[in-house]
Structures are given as C-alpha cells and as structure tokens.
Amino acid sequence: MENSLVKTPLRRLRKRGTKRSWRLKQKLKLTWKSIKIRVRSHLPGFLSSKKRLTHVKSRNQELAQMARKICKVSNDSTKSLAFLLQLPKYSAIDFLDRGDLMTPAASPRENISKMWRELHGSKNWENILDPLHPWLRREITKYGEFVESVYDSLDFDPLSEFCGSCRYNRNKLFEELGLTRHGYKVTKYIYAMSHVDVPQWFLSSSLGETWSKDSNWMGFVAVSGDRESFRIGRRDIVVAWRGTVTPTEWFMDLRTSKEPFDCEGEHGKNVVKVQRGFFSIYKSKSELTSYNKESASEQTMEEVKRLVKFFKDRGEEVSLTITGHSLGGALALMNAYEAAREVPELSGNVSVISFGAPRVGNLAFKENLNSLGVKVLRVVNKQDIVPKLPGIVFNKVLNKLNPITSRLNWVYRHVGTQLKLDVFSSPYVKRDSDLAGSHNLEVYLHVLDGFHRKKSGFRVNARRDVASVNKSTDMLLDHLRIPECWYQVAHKGLILNKQTGRWVKPVRAPEDIPSPLSTGPKPIYSS
C-alpha cells in the first residue's frame, strides 16, 4: 500500500511528461510541415522540371538550413513560422533568364462566358471583390495592360519630331508590345488637342517641324476577336485612355471650376457638370488641325457606333468596356456617359474599369451616370493621392458633414464601386519609397495581382512579373537588383550606322508615321 502511494505521483509526473512531449512533437511536426510548404513556395516554378540546376539546389539548401535554424531558436511554433513567412519569395537570382524553365508570368485563362455579366458589373461586383474572384482579377489586369500599352508605345522624347504620337501603327501595336495573347484588334487611334485650357505637361516637340503642333495621342478603340469573344461570352469593344506622363504635377495646374457636360439634361441647379480641364481635353476640336477636326469624344463615339452596328447586325451580344488610368479614368467616365446615352443597343452593357482616377463631376453627373446603367469599378491604391482630387481638403471636410452636404450639387463626387488596395501589402516594395510611385499603373497591377482579400497578405502564388514595377519607378527592394526606370528606348533612340560608323536617329517606317487618315486594311475580327 505504501509502495503504491509512493509510485502514484511519479506515474502521474511521467504521464504528464509523456503528454507534454507528445504535444511538443506534434507542434514541431506541424511547424516543420508548414515550413517545408513555405520553403517550397519560395522556390522558382521551374523546380518542377526534371532539369535541376546546381545553383537552384544550393538555393533550396540555403532556405532549408535557414528554416532549421529558426526552429532551433525558439520552441514557440507561432513565432518561428511568422518569422519564416517574412522571407521574400524572390531574390536577385530569380530574375536571371533561364528560358523555358521559368515560371510563366500569367495564369491560364478559363472560359468565363457563363459569368461574364457578373464580371462586367451587372450586380455591382457584389461578393466577388472580397475575396477577389480570380477570373475578375485577370479581367481587370487585362484592361489595365491595355492602358499600359498606351504609355509603353508613346513617343515622349521632346527631341523627336513625332513627340506625343504612338511609335507604332495600330495594326501592329499589340504585336510589338506582346499583347496579342489577349485576342483583341485595335481599330482606331484617339487624339486630343494639346493647345487648350490644360496644363503644361501635354507633350510637344521642341523642334520646329513636327507631326502635329496641336494634338496628342491619348488611346485607342479595340475589339475582341472570335476566339476571345467565345471565351468571354460576347463581342467586347474596348476604349483605352492613358493618363499623364508626369502624374505628380498636372493636378496642381488644373482649374477646379466645372463646365456643363450634358446639354440635353436638366438645367438650373441640377445641371450636369464636370471638371473644366477634363472637359477641354475630351471635347476640344479645331478645323485648323490635322488630327482634331473632330474632338476626342467625336472620334471615339463614331468608332464605337460603327462597331456596335457591325456586330449587332450579325446578331452578336456586344459590350463596351472603357478603361483608363489617372486622367484617362476621368475621360473614361465621360466617354461611358455619352455611350450609354447615345447608343441604346448597349443598354446595360457599358462598364468602366479605372485605375487611380480622380473625381470628375457633380452629384447630377453621378446620378445620371447611374440612371443610364453604367457600371463603374474604381481600383484605388490607399497611398495614392490622385483619387482624392480635385478638392482634396474641401471634399474631405464636407464628407464629415454628411448627410447635410450629401445633396450639394456643386461638390465633386466619385462614381461606382471601389476596390481598395494597399501598396505596402507587397513584400517587394520599399517601405520608404516615394509615394508618387503609388500612382504608377504598373504598381497598381502588381498590387492587384497580389490582392486576395482585405485581411490577408500578398498572394504567394501571384504570377505577374515583379520586375515590371520598376519600369518607370524605383519602388522595388534593392536586393532584387532590378534597375530603376529601366523601360526606355535603347540608346535613347539612336542607332549605329554600320556603314559610316556614326550614331544617327532612325527614320520611322512609313507605316508608323502618324496619319490623320486611317491607314492599312480594316482589322479582321476572326483571330
């Protein structure tokens, strides 16, 4: 009896010790399993190939050793795993060219024909923004890349006689920029006047003789080919508007006064008005110019009406998606307003996808746009100041006085549904980076690619090329070794004449010289 009394506490201690050790083993087992999954996710996608490179193996071993050290440092599984999660997915070695062994920069695109109306905003994107539906993410990215193509092909060299024009003709724009995978054809270029009541940022050549002293290339109209139309469930007409080349300066110059926009609408206190500078860019024209005998508005609407009639006569379902960044987002809203009002065949099928767009008009503009059935998705970076303009201070104060000021018609209003992103959710962006970079379109597309939902971190399986962030910024972490503002014309546009040994400016191919007339054959829509 005495022996049993003595042994009982020891047995209990042993039993407790066994339970503790078992729990610790389970924790370590789960932690190590999570670590291995995380480590594998850090490795480049080409590891799945049978061809294993030596330096890749060493990279794998380094990560594994680091993970083991983390586990030894602390028995607290939560702390060690959280520390491991802070490891960057990419390093400088991941940006070396390894040909076909590298992970593709884009995800496969599924057939979305059964869901296209919801993705196009028929229900104001309810229940597909948080978490962000992967199909919607890819569609938004596609339209963002159309806008980015306008920036990438714009000649903004003041020493060029073609400054302010596109460097390629419309028939080969997507081919030159690697966007043929989207399955669209450009049908028309859009030009806007530069000598109107707008800031000094509008591009103009410093030379005497130029392609145009009055106009700037602002975007294009494109349409989906047969294959892409089958995938997305309808014939999609796209209008893409670019913003400014120097986005941190132009808002300071624009006047905040408004201009009547819809002459056919109500008058008096309920008259539809938009910001005066935006209106001037969109509506100005002159018979004395070569490219703007018609305004940007008239050029766009003429082409949209032509395409709608062409495809409606063939019995097809047609949608209009207007997209733009910065100033382009403002032009997109005015364009959508006109299209919904003037093309009844598009009723309910007009949507706007904007990036970093400012406020455009008053309450009457917002309400009329909603009543016309236009669906607007505004993609906004938390750190971007442009969506808070015009009237950043005044509008903020009035919003606090709501609902007293909710019906004031002279206050600038945002329109549509907002998708809010956070630049610093990306593990690749400098925390002390210039906030002006938060307005950059490539930064928008990068953060969008990593966004899943508000309360989750950057997606581990994000596919978009991280190096694109530094195309015209210096936002990426230094250890990635991606040069700042690396996207530029080789040798600043000069080429070596091998016969004379001289560096000279190349002569543009005849088909790439801007022309006010439509050049080349009409696009074939069957691709």
Side-chain angles (χ1 to χ4, degrees), residues 76-112:
D76 183 7
S77 60
T78 305
K79 181 178 179 182
S80 59
L81 186 58
F83 183 81
L84 182 64
L85 291 175
Q86 294 175 8
L87 294 175
K89 183 180 177 183
Y90 293 114
S91 66
I93 196 173
D94 296 314
F95 292 93
L96 298 177
D97 188 4
R98 300 188 187 91
D100 295 338
L101 296 177
M102 301 187 73
T103 304
S107 303
R109 295 183 300 159
E110 297 87 353
N111 187 307
I112 64 171

Side-chain angles (χ1 to χ4, degrees), residues 442 466-476 482-487:
E442 280 291 358
V466 176
S468 298
V469 173
N470 267 16
K471 282 174 73 173
S472 55
T473 71
D474 185 22
M475 297 280 283
L476 289 178
I482 302 298
E484 61 179 280
C485 303
W486 56 262
Y487 190 85

Side-chain angles (χ1 to χ4, degrees), residues 347-493:
S347 178
N349 288 348
V350 179
S351 292
V352 174
I353 308 291
S354 68
F355 302 85
R359 300 183 182 100
V360 178
N362 60 2
L363 180 62
F365 176 77
K366 174 182 178 178
E367 292 181 338
N368 282 22
L369 201 63
N370 291 335
S371 65
L372 287 168
V374 177
K375 303 300 181 181
V376 181
L377 179 61
R378 297 185 299 107
V379 185
V380 174
N381 273 337
K382 177 181 176 182
Q383 293 79 10
D384 188 2
I385 193 176
V386 173
K388 299 177 177 64
L389 299 170
I392 179 172
V393 176
F394 194 60
N395 278 59
K396 190 172 183 180
V397 172
L398 289 176
N399 285 335
K400 291 183 178 181
L401 298 176
N402 218 330
I404 300 174
T405 60
S406 61
R407 301 302 302 172
L408 293 179
N409 197 41
W410 43 271
V411 179
Y412 284 101
R413 308 285 179 172
H414 268 309
V415 183
T417 304
Q418 176 177 277
L419 173 59
K420 194 170 186 177
L421 308 175
D422 185 354
V423 173
F424 295 142
S425 66
S426 169
Y428 314 115
V429 173
K430 297 175 182 175
R431 292 300 178 267
D432 59 345
S433 55
D434 183 4
L435 290 181
S438 301
H439 185 60
N440 185 275
L441 181 54
E442 280 291 358
V443 175
Y444 264 89
L445 297 179
H446 168 67
V447 180
L448 173 68
D449 188 45
F451 178 80
H452 175 57
R453 64 190 315 161
K454 291 178 181 178
K455 295 183 179 180
S456 64
F458 200 82
R459 287 195 313 139
V460 177
N461 57 341
R463 289 289 192 93
R464 188 171 174 78
D465 188 5
V466 176
S468 298
V469 173
N470 267 16
K471 282 174 73 173
S472 55
T473 71
D474 185 22
M475 297 280 283
L476 289 178
L477 294 170
D478 292 334
H479 80 266
L480 296 177
R481 301 180 186 178
I482 302 298
E484 61 179 280
C485 303
W486 56 262
Y487 190 85
Q488 53 186 296
V489 180
H491 310 299
K492 295 192 175 181

Side-chain angles (χ1 to χ4, degrees), residues 226-339:
D226 288 348
R227 187 178 301 175
E228 177 68 2
S229 297
F230 176 78
R231 187 188 75 83
I232 62 179
R234 83 280 186 190
R235 188 72 63 170
D236 187 34
I237 301 170
V238 172
V239 183
W241 297 91
R242 73 168 174 88
T244 64
V245 178
T246 55
T248 58
E249 299 173 358
W250 68 279
F251 273 105
M252 298 174 63
D253 296 328
L254 281 174
R255 299 182 181 180
T256 57
S257 58
K258 300 180 184 70
E259 191 83 12
F261 180 69
D262 187 357
C263 297
E264 299 176 8
E266 297 184 54
H267 299 279
K269 293 182 178 180
N270 295 324
V271 64
V272 175
K273 291 185 177 182
V274 295
Q275 203 277 337
R276 185 175 182 180
F278 304 151
F279 180 85
S280 297
I281 296 169
Y282 187 63
K283 287 289 190 178
S284 294
K285 62 180 180 179
S286 173
E287 285 294 330
L288 301 178
T289 66
S290 298
Y291 294 83
N292 277 111
K293 296 183 186 302
E294 293 182 334
S295 66
S297 164
E298 292 169 337
Q299 296 169 49
T300 308
M301 290 307 303
E302 178 184 328
E303 183 67 3
V304 167
K305 289 176 181 178
R306 184 185 74 82
L307 291 172
V308 170
K309 183 179 186 305
F310 178 83
F311 291 111
K312 279 292 185 179
D313 288 347
R314 291 171 46 169
E316 296 188 35
E317 183 80 54
V318 181
S319 69
L320 175 63
T321 309
I322 309 175
T323 183
H325 168 247
S326 190
L327 162 70
L331 300 178
L333 280 181
M334 292 187 288
N335 190 183
Y337 189 109
E338 286 191 327

Side-chain angles (χ1 to χ4, degrees), residues 27-38 40:
K27 284 184 179 181
L28 291 174
K29 186 177 179 180
L30 290 172
T31 303
W32 182 242
K33 185 178 179 181
S34 301
I35 288 172
K36 286 194 292 185
I37 293 173
R38 185 63 185 180
R40 286 172 184 168

Side-chain angles (χ1 to χ4, degrees), residues 148-168:
E148 182 63 30
S149 71
V150 186
Y151 287 117
D152 291 347
S153 53
L154 180 67
D155 187 344
F156 52 87
D157 179 9
L159 298 178
S160 169
E161 63 270 33
F162 301 111
C163 182
S165 71
C166 181
R167 289 187 280 116
Y168 314 108

